[in-house]
Each structure stands twice: as C-alpha cells, then as structure tokens.
Amino acid sequence: MHELTNKQVLVVGLGASGQAACRLLRQREARVTALDGVATKELQDAAGPLRALGVTVALGVNAVPAQPFDLVVVSPGVPRNSPLMQEVYGRRIPVIGELELGYQQSLCLNIAIGGTNGKTTTTELVERLLTQAHRKTIAAGNIGLPMCAVVDRTRELDFLTLEVSSFQLETTEFFRPAVAVLLNITPDHLDRYASMAEYIRAKARLFLCQQAFDWAIIQSEALAQLRSLNLPVPAKVITFSANNRRADIYLDRGLLISRQPGWSGPLLDMDDCKLRGPHNAENLMAAL
C-alpha cells in the first residue's frame, strides 16, 4: 500500500475521477499536482476549488512536470500508451488508478461487477438487493460516484457495490473484491486495445488479487474466454448463463434455475419481472 503523507503525487486527468482523487490525496496530506491535456470551461471551473485545497492545477498540458514524483494517479480515460503516460513509465514513477487509490484507503469489503454489457443494471440490482436486506452499501466506481469520493463513508458500510471498467482495472495493484462478478465479454474499446485478447486480459484483472475463499461469479461463456488465454481465477467460482444449461444458474423457458448445493431449484420467473430478455436474465442471475 502507498503511504501518502507529504508524498509528491501527480494526478493525470481531471474528470470526476481525477477530481475525487485530488480531494482524497489532500485529505491524506499528500502534495498534489494535477494536470489535464485540455482546458475546457468545465475543467477551468473545477480547478478553482481544487486550488483552494492546495492542489497545483495545470490545464492544456501534455508533458510531465520536471519535478520528482513519488506516485502517479491516472484517471481511467487516459490511455496507457499516450505520450504523457509513456513519459511517466519512462521515468519509472509508480502508477495506480483512481479505483486502486480509493480501494487502498477504503475500510470495507467490496463487490465488484465487470463485463462488457449489463454492468450498470447489475450494480443497481445488487445495491437494491443489499439495501432491502438491511445491508449498508453504496454504488460507486464506474457508476455515478468515483471510488475516491466515497472512501470516508466506508467505515459505516457492510460492502461497497462497485461497477468497474476495463480502463479502471488496467491500473489496479492490490484491488481485491470479496465477490467479483464478470458478465459477458464482447468486442468493445478495440480503439484502445490492440486485440480482443488484450481486452479480455484487462477484464480478467478483476480476479487478479482474489484468494481461494473469495467468490467469482462468472458468465460461463466469459469463463471459457478466460480459460482459452490461460487466465487464472483463484476464487470459488459460480457460473451463470442464459444459453448454457450446464451453468450453475441457467435460464430454462423463462425460469432462472439454480443447481447450487443447498440452493437448487427455480429462483425467479421472468414473467413476474419488469426486466425482459436473455441479457437481463443474466444480469438477474449474477445479482442473485
């Protein structure tokens, strides 16, 4: 874990995630410099409150300041192969993402939901199921609130419910979900990834730091994609699928059916649900 007090930290990218990272870093008494390659009116407006917190802000900048830095926190929208990030890596400065920074400072377990399609729906379902079951949670990450914006609330939570993107997972280090959910993996963001295999590897980082007693809830087709690339899943696995009846939870003529020991049989009739279609059946299976 990174010690932050009095450390020189560079934040790259000043969208919502970068701004939240700056605030958290200042709360932890880091010395923060933040930059963004553009200088929009929105960013100029956001720069004022950050400067008031003691952040040095530079907009319209595409080069790393000459001063030494102990750590770089990069926003998910900044590609690893951008010239600025290549300069960072060339200077051998440690790099983490905003998600990783928030994780290292959080004080509760998390449920992390990834995949190409259905992340937001499934995250909202899990959040509402937990809340209805009187568990304290907040939905954050790639949905609404950045991870760093909710860190100070995690002391009171049972779980953080996180939507996580491949961009966020690229720059994780110790990020470890107690429950990791992987929905489908279909071609996407191939302007950022050199191949489908590289995109799958980014998604598989969701499981990178899990232990044998954590849980991995994975669409069976996505699990086959991971295995085709010899990507390990160290946690206990439960599969689900709308198309594969050999999955642990599967769709059969509108019924969601479980073959999990101690939890076998029909779970839900899709006719009784406002969500429709096989894709939403998978979102519901993952949430359940």
Side-chain angles (χ1 to χ4, degrees):
M1 303 293 182
H2 294 278
E3 172 59 40
L4 298 175
T5 302
N6 291 322
K7 298 298 183 181
Q8 293 283 356
V9 182
L10 176 66
V11 176
V12 179
L14 271 178
S17 294
Q19 292 173 39
C22 287
R23 294 187 189 98
L24 179 60
L25 287 163
R26 287 299 297 138
Q27 288 173 10
R28 300 301 188 266
E29 301 182 351
R31 301 173 185 177
V32 183
T33 300
L35 61 83
D36 198 293
V38 298
T40 63
K41 176 66 165 57
E42 182 180 8
L43 288 181
Q44 290 171 5
D45 291 343
L50 293 177
R51 289 182 176 121
L53 293 174
V55 179
T56 301
V57 179
L59 301 177
V61 173
N62 286 295
V64 181
Q67 69 194 77
F69 290 101
D70 300 297
L71 179 67
V72 172
V73 178
V74 60
S75 297
V78 180
R80 291 168 60 88
N81 61 358
S82 68
L84 189 147
M85 291 307 299
Q86 289 302 302
E87 183 181 351
V88 167
Y89 292 121
R91 286 172 55 174
R92 299 186 181 278
I93 308 170
V95 177
I96 61 173
E98 180 269 335
L99 179 73
E100 176 69 26
L101 174 65
Y103 169 75
Q104 291 189 17
Q105 299 296 314
S106 67
L107 298 170
C108 70
L109 299 174
N110 74 81
I111 300 166
I113 297 157
T116 303
N117 303 297
K119 295 188 296 296
T120 299
T121 298
T122 305
T123 301
E124 290 175 341
L125 286 168
V126 170
E127 179 199 27
R128 294 180 192 186
L129 283 168
L130 288 172
T131 300
Q132 288 295 318
H134 307 292
R135 300 293 191 271
K136 294 180 181 179
T137 189
I138 298 172
N142 199 48
I143 177 176
L145 294 167
M147 177 80 164
C148 286
V150 300
V151 162
D152 288 343
R153 300 164 67 182
T154 56
R155 186 184 300 275
E156 309 301 326
L157 300 180
D158 296 305
F159 294 96
L160 265 177
T161 303
L162 298 172
E163 177 185 332
V164 296
S165 70
S166 58
F167 295 173
Q168 291 172 311
L169 291 168
E170 287 176 16
T171 47
T172 54
E173 184 177 10
F174 301 111
F175 178 65
R176 176 186 162 195
V179 180
V181 179
L182 181 61
L183 303 165
N184 57 79
I185 306 179
T186 59
D188 198 14
H189 300 304
L190 295 183
D191 56 334
R192 176 148 165 170
Y193 296 102
S195 65
M196 187 64 186
E198 185 179 329
Y199 177 55
I200 294 169
R201 288 189 182 96
K203 291 291 187 188
R205 290 181 62 84
L206 183 63
F207 309 107
L208 187 64
C209 295
Q210 282 197 299
Q211 302 296 315
F213 44 84
D214 295 320
W215 289 94
I217 316 300
I218 311 180
Q219 187 213 45
S220 59
E221 292 87 342
L223 181 58
Q225 289 171 290
L226 300 188
R227 287 174 172 168
S228 72
L229 295 173
N230 296 314
L231 297 169
V233 180
K236 295 176 287 188
V237 173
I238 297 176
T239 59
F240 64 90
S241 177
N243 301 302
N244 180 6
R245 293 194 181 187
R246 292 176 295 178
D248 296 316
I249 305 175
Y250 61 97
L251 178 66
D252 183 11
R253 292 169 292 182
L255 294 177
L256 306 188
I257 300 176
S258 169
R259 53 167 48 95
Q260 279 293 102
W263 197 50
S264 60
L267 303 179
L268 182 69
D269 188 337
M270 290 293 290
D271 287 342
D272 297 331
C273 189
K274 291 182 180 180
L275 295 175
R276 302 292 181 183
H279 61 295
N280 276 319
E282 291 198 333
N283 296 337
L284 285 160
M285 287 183 238
L288 289 170

